[in-house]
Each structure stands twice: as structure tokens, then as C-alpha cells.
Amino acid sequence: LSVPSWSSVSLVGAAPGYPLAKKRHTLEYLRSLPHLRMRTNTLASVARARSSASLAVHGYFGGRGFLSVHTPLLTSSDCEGAGEVFGVDTDLFGTDVGLTVSGQLAAEVAATSVGACYTFGPTFRAENSNTRKHLCEFWMVEPEIPFCDAAGAMDSCEGMVKHVVGKVWEERGDDMRFFTKFYDKGLEEKKDMILEKEFRRVSYTEAVEAVQEEVKKDPSKWQYPDLKWGDDLQTEHERFIAEVLSSGVPTFVYDWPMSIKPFYMKCNPDGRTVAAFDLLVPEIGELAGGSQREDDYDTLISRMEGMDLKEYEWYTDLRKYGTVPHSGYGVGFERLVGYLTGMENIRDVNAFPRVPGSADL
């Protein structure tokens, strides 16, 4: 806690049995005290770094003429189509409603109406996962850019990450040096690499081939050694690409198989891939994902086979009544904060993490 002056110090109140003794506590122990852990050096530094990162996101997009759009948290649409939606138990709306998994579809309404925009807010996944990368409630940065292809969206994504990392180091240097001392000795080198090097770009096909060649050397080292074209990449594959193949440089993997990506992604001329990309970084794996959106009405309808077209009529109307080529992406904000601070567990970069079995406060 910062105070402006030590000219007058007095005891305001005693704290008998205070659970944060003057010693270094484990992060796991601090997670059991969500109402007190921000009083520690580590979580206070995280809070300051996260605040600067949040303001930097707004500064990046606002400085480039993007409109900030507030998309709904209550929605009848499942953007990702994965079915991992928190249902809302109410008859108030006359239809099934859940907590949003993404603001993207609503952001497309704005992007095809008033121009480049972004939404930055909480999203929710009813996923029973206890890994260090997953939360049930997390924040997403989701821009939508008209007259833009997937390559342009990758440019924007790279620029945003560089801007946020640079701003946090500029504004929170003391906190970043704290993280460097106690959590990640290579943070400053990572910062320099992010700011100075151009992010790599490899196709999904090239990435799969590289993993396959590496697996051949010793399949026993891999949890998922049987990767083939058409499979989604597992975290160990993502980390190999970012940490070994690209020597730590953040890497875009683009042109993914159509069969494993959502309906709204633009079909490539080859008929088997979509103009989609993931941004992979060391330690974490996927940091961002995006695509050019399918702007052809007939193609979009064919991709939605088996879905309730009436439910998504408003979305297809965006093509039916005139549209433009447009692209966008989503960045997991907690993952970004963890990446730039060196905090390994996503539960430590969100002040009040919601995970299976825990929703304290």
C-alpha cells in the first residue's frame, strides 16, 4: 500500500491472527485468500501491470480510430459452436439464453456498419478444465476490421501485442523488474525480442510437418505423437513450434483445416482450409486466434449445415444485405498478462479467478 508521506504514522487497528505472515507464501496458498492476496508484493504488481495492459489495449485501438463497442454478455448465440455455454435459468427472454463465449459476432454488426471496432470484456466457458491456462470467466480483446484480410489481421494483432508489452514496461518498470527477479529471469530479453523482431508466420501444413519430423526422433517424449494433417494442435505441439522451431519468437500459424474451425471463417480457394490463424508463444501456446470472416452469403449458408439458421438469421443478414471483406481476432487478456509478466498460472493474473469448484467472492 502506497502512502504519500511518513510524517505521521499511527496504528489504526490491530490485525490479530493475520494470515499473511512476513514470509514468502506460495501462490497456491495465496489463491485460498482471494480477498487478501492483492496485499502481497506479487499480486499487487500483477494488478498494476494488468491495469497498464488494459489501458494500453484501449490506447492502441483508440489511437487508430477504432470504435469501442460494448457487446452483450447475455446472448442466444454460441459463437464457437462448442456447446460450452453457461445457461441462464430464466423465461424472461422467451428463448434460451446463456453467457457469451465471444463478442465477435456482435462486433461484426458494428464493423460492417460504422467501421473498425473492438470489444474488450468478460467472456465465459462452462469447461471443466483445471489446467493453468483455463478460467471459466476471462477477458477477451476482440477487434473487427472491415476491408481487411487475414494477413492484415495478423499485422494488427502483432502491433497490438508489441504496443501492450512496450507500454507495460514503460509504465511499470519497477513491477516488471520484480517479476524478472522472482519469476522469470528472461523477461527483459523476452521484451526486447517481442519489440525488435518480426513475428514468424508458418502455414498449418508446414507446422504439422515440422512436428511430425521432430516426433520421429523420439515418439516416447510426446503425449500426442500421432499428429496428422487435419488434427488440432495440442499444447505440446504449439510450444514446440513457438519455443523450438521459432526459437522463442511469437509465431502465427495460418491456413487451418476447414473441418476443425468454426463456420464463420473464410474458405480458401483450395476448398479444404480456411483463412484462419493462431498466434503461438512460448510457455503458453495459443495467445490469440483470428480469421478473415466468410463474406459470401451462399458459402456461409452451406457452412452452417445442421445449425438453426433461423437463430442466426440476423448474422447471415449481414451478408445478405450487403457486406465487405472483413477480418478479426481474439486475444485472451489473462494469457497476455501472464506472458508479459512471467506468471505461469492464469489464476494469478485474474484477481478473482472463476474455475471449477471455486467462485469465491
Side-chain angles (χ1 to χ4, degrees):
L1 181 66
S2 298
V3 293
S5 171
W6 291 103
S7 60
S8 177
V9 179
S10 61
L11 180 64
V12 176
Y18 186 55
L20 295 177
K22 290 185 177 180
K23 64 177 184 178
R24 188 174 182 182
H25 297 282
T26 67
L27 294 173
E28 183 177 9
Y29 172 71
L30 294 177
R31 289 178 209 131
S32 70
L33 301 169
H35 58 305
L36 297 176
R37 67 176 186 157
M38 209 181 298
R39 299 182 182 189
T40 65
N41 289 335
T42 295
L43 276 298
S45 288
V46 168
R48 288 187 288 266
R50 180 175 176 130
S51 176
S52 286
S54 177
L55 292 173
V57 167
H58 290 294
Y60 178 79
F61 291 112
R64 287 157 178 78
F66 283 61
L67 293 184
S68 173
V69 177
H70 299 159
T71 53
L73 300 186
L74 294 173
T75 178
S76 59
S77 301
D78 176 6
C79 177
E80 297 297 326
E84 299 163 348
V85 176
F86 282 103
V88 177
D89 186 13
T90 179
D91 296 324
L92 190 63
F93 301 104
T95 187
D96 292 336
V97 170
L99 298 179
T100 184
V101 299
S102 170
Q104 176 208 314
L105 300 188
E108 286 191 56
V109 173
T112 54
S113 302
V114 294
C117 67
Y118 72 103
T119 179
F120 182 16
T123 56
F124 308 85
R125 298 283 173 92
E127 184 176 1
N128 189 15
S129 174
N130 284 289
T131 75
R132 64 184 180 89
K133 298 198 309 176
H134 291 94
L135 294 172
C136 293
E137 177 185 335
F138 53 97
W139 284 61
M140 288 289 290
V141 182
E142 299 179 283
E144 285 294 322
I145 315 169
F147 302 103
C148 178
D149 59 12
M154 285 188 273
D155 292 340
S156 172
C157 185
E158 179 174 348
M160 190 274 288
V161 171
K162 289 177 180 288
H163 178 83
V164 171
V165 171
K167 276 295 183 183
V168 173
W169 271 92
E170 176 185 329
E171 297 175 0
R172 303 295 177 185
D174 288 345
D175 292 308
M176 297 307 294
R177 284 184 283 274
F178 171 84
F179 293 127
T180 302
K181 180 178 180 180
F182 291 104
Y183 292 99
D184 186 345
K185 303 297 184 184
L187 267 189
E188 190 154 9
E189 289 77 11
K190 181 197 292 185
K191 178 258 297 183
D192 292 339
M193 179 270 297
I194 292 170
L195 297 182
E196 296 170 6
K197 288 186 177 293
E198 183 177 340
F199 292 5
R200 285 200 66 198
R201 301 186 185 190
V202 299
S203 72
Y204 167 87
T205 299
E206 294 169 331
V208 168
E209 290 173 350
V211 172
Q212 290 172 335
E213 287 301 312
E214 186 68 18
V215 168
K216 287 179 183 177
K217 298 176 182 177
D218 188 354
S220 66
K221 292 182 178 181
W222 296 77
Q223 184 178 359
Y224 301 96
D226 299 323
L227 178 68
K228 60 183 182 299
W229 198 97
D231 292 341
D232 204 354
L233 298 178
Q234 302 297 322
T235 298
E236 64 177 350
H237 306 142
E238 296 172 339
R239 291 190 59 179
F240 166 76
I241 293 166
E243 296 170 15
V244 180
L245 186 64
S246 297
S247 303
V249 177
T251 300
F252 289 105
V253 177
Y254 63 89
D255 287 349
W256 287 70
M258 183 186 304
S259 59
I260 60 174
K261 288 297 184 180
F263 68 92
Y264 53 76
M265 295 185 171
K266 180 73 174 177
C267 296
N268 284 326
D270 62 16
R272 62 199 294 252
T273 64
V274 289
F277 61 86
D278 284 355
L279 175 60
L280 309 181
V281 297
E283 291 95 43
I284 292 174
E286 182 187 348
L287 178 64
S291 72
Q292 183 171 347
R293 315 313 190 189
E294 183 56 71
D295 52 74
D296 181 81
Y297 177 80
D298 292 331
T299 303
L300 180 62
I301 293 296
S302 69
R303 289 290 311 282
M304 298 173 72
E305 182 179 356
M307 297 175 61
D308 185 348
L309 294 181
K310 189 66 177 176
E311 180 182 339
Y312 289 89
E313 186 175 19
W314 66 270
Y315 185 72
T316 58
D317 276 355
L318 297 179
R319 279 70 174 168
K320 184 178 181 179
Y321 298 127
T323 189
V324 298
H326 59 287
S327 301
Y329 56 91
V331 178
F333 186 61
E334 278 82 4
R335 292 189 183 187
L336 177 58
V337 175
Y339 178 53
L340 69 90
T341 61
M343 302 301 293
E344 294 184 348
N345 197 309
I346 199 170
R347 302 179 190 203
D348 299 320
V349 295
N350 185 305
F352 310 106
R354 269 62 180 129
V355 296
S358 176
D360 295 331
L361 281 70

